[in-house]
Amino acid sequence: MRIRFLFLSLFIYFIAFAQSSSEAEALFNSKKYVEAGHIYFALLVKKPNDALNNYRYARCCYEVQDYETAIKHFLKSGTKYPLRDYYLADSYFYSYKFTEAIEFFQSYAASSTVNQVFLKDVNDKLQRSQIASRLINRVEEIEIIDSTSVNKNDFFPLYKLSKDEGSISFKKTNINNRYVDLFSFVTQRGDRKIYADIVGNNIDIFTADKLLEDWSHAEPISKNINSKADENYPFLMLDGVTLYFASTNHNSIGGYDIFMTRFNPNTNDYLLPDNVGMPFNSIYNDYLMVIDEIQGIGWFVSDRYQPTDKVIVYRFKYNENKKYINTDDTELLIEYAQLKKFKKVKQKIVYTEEDFKSPVETIKNQSISFQINDTITYTNSNQFRSYTAQNLWNEWFKMNENLTEKESLLESLRYSYTVSEDPEELKEIEEEIINLEKNVLKLKVTIPEKVKEIRNLEINYLKQHDIQ
């Protein structure tokens, strides 16, 4: 009787186990990695050394970006799964364990089962890992004042540059259906401009000198700086020699990395740029390094660990003499490199609004037509006499651009809704359309109100200063 009971118990156990495995596989194949991961975890409690369950659980952890757990279970899964080395290498890469990432990217690239779809990504990350493995040995010790997560289009006002440092501005433009920032820096004396502009399908940095009423013919800043990649976000320090900029070139470990170079008067050219290293740069996009020597602070932007529509602006204490993290603890070094750990400034730097020149760009567009009253129509935003009205006009201009983008996206989503047959996808698109329609409606109400506010501010200013 006891034997029959044990047999029945085992029979029920194996049926339940088979059902769990089948359910996990169905969820895994449907890319429902969170739900599948829960079941694979439960299966591994019963059979911790099962190769397939370890591999599948590792894949689930990888897909939800739990890379440390993924590494552990990819290693336990053995070598018989063709994509294991790729996902293991990628997990090491995102965990900042670049030596191991190099090993397994090379192993995957050399395997007979290499997937050509993944090969470009493998070669790209292999190169980035090789650069990062050198940079992580010298992680700069920096003191963070604060960090602010904002929408991608709203980070610029957080840069409060002293008036004696020069002025910075940017505008958005479209390259092959992608919106990009074109950044510009003008020296404190207003005699030189260093700025980004479009060349074909890429962005390069140019320089121009102030003449009497206009700028000289634009010249590419240097062959040592501009490359076949994108170069943008230039900032020249007070010495007139040290230049920071961002690039997606072959020495980058992310998308955009921050680079530094200096002008060499002996060659009348800039030196080959250096990657400023970690923690300023990451395996994500990092850009717009601005140093305010007068205040002793700096800023840079990063999209590390942020949602797709967000960036984080770091404000840090500027130290001319660099210090580097000194530790034998690899995990601690990685935390400093990722900016998950950092020194905090003991006392925040205090400044007032009068200390700053507005960083908001005056968008120059000779073809604009903005009616102030029955007799005055502005054709250039520089004609505004009221500082507040001019800044509001910039906001109004960007709101119109934003409205155009959102209406275009709305049209695209509505089309997608008509052709999709996936119920889950239809639900997601429907939610996006509803939210977007609310945003569009809000903009359509706000934009006319902004026009009235701009007009009233400018008219009041003209009256107060007796300007006709």
Side-chain angles (χ1 to χ4, degrees), residues 370 372 378 380-386 389-390 393 454 458:
F370 192 91
I372 302 300
Y378 289 168
N380 189 300
S381 59
N382 283 335
Q383 292 173 300
F384 281 100
R385 307 302 290 271
S386 165
Q390 185 183 48
W393 187 90
I454 294 166
E458 186 69 6

Side-chain angles (χ1 to χ4, degrees), residues 228-345:
K228 293 180 180 178
D230 286 338
E231 278 74 39
N232 202 344
Y233 305 101
F235 176 78
L236 187 68
M237 291 188 67
L238 277 177
D239 61 11
V241 172
T242 307
L243 180 74
Y244 288 96
F245 67 97
S247 177
T248 59
N249 68 32
H250 65 279
N251 288 316
S252 165
I253 60 171
Y256 269 120
D257 267 16
I258 301 165
F259 290 82
M260 187 272 288
T261 181
R262 289 189 172 90
F263 187 76
N264 183 356
N266 296 323
T267 60
N268 198 35
D269 199 0
Y270 284 91
L271 300 171
L272 289 172
D274 291 320
N275 188 308
V276 300
M278 301 175 191
F280 299 108
N281 288 325
S282 68
I283 56 178
Y284 304 93
N285 288 292
D286 307 278
Y287 49 98
L288 194 48
M289 176 80 87
V290 171
I291 305 294
D292 189 322
E293 295 176 85
I294 295 170
Q295 296 184 79
I297 60 176
W299 300 263
F300 69 99
V301 182
S302 179
D303 62 10
R304 65 185 80 183
Y305 319 122
Q306 297 296 303
T308 54
D309 60 341
K310 296 277 189 179
V311 295
I312 188 163
V313 178
Y314 290 97
R315 188 162 62 108
F316 63 95
K317 184 177 178 182
Y318 171 64
N319 291 310
E320 191 172 350
N321 299 317
K322 295 181 179 181
K323 293 181 181 180
Y324 296 92
I325 301 297
N326 184 15
T327 180
D328 295 326
D329 186 334
T330 302
E331 295 299 326
L332 182 62
L333 184 66
I334 288 172
E335 286 187 333
Y336 275 108
Q338 295 173 319
L339 271 181
K340 290 181 177 178
K341 192 175 186 66
F342 51 80
K343 276 193 171 184
K344 291 184 178 179
V345 173

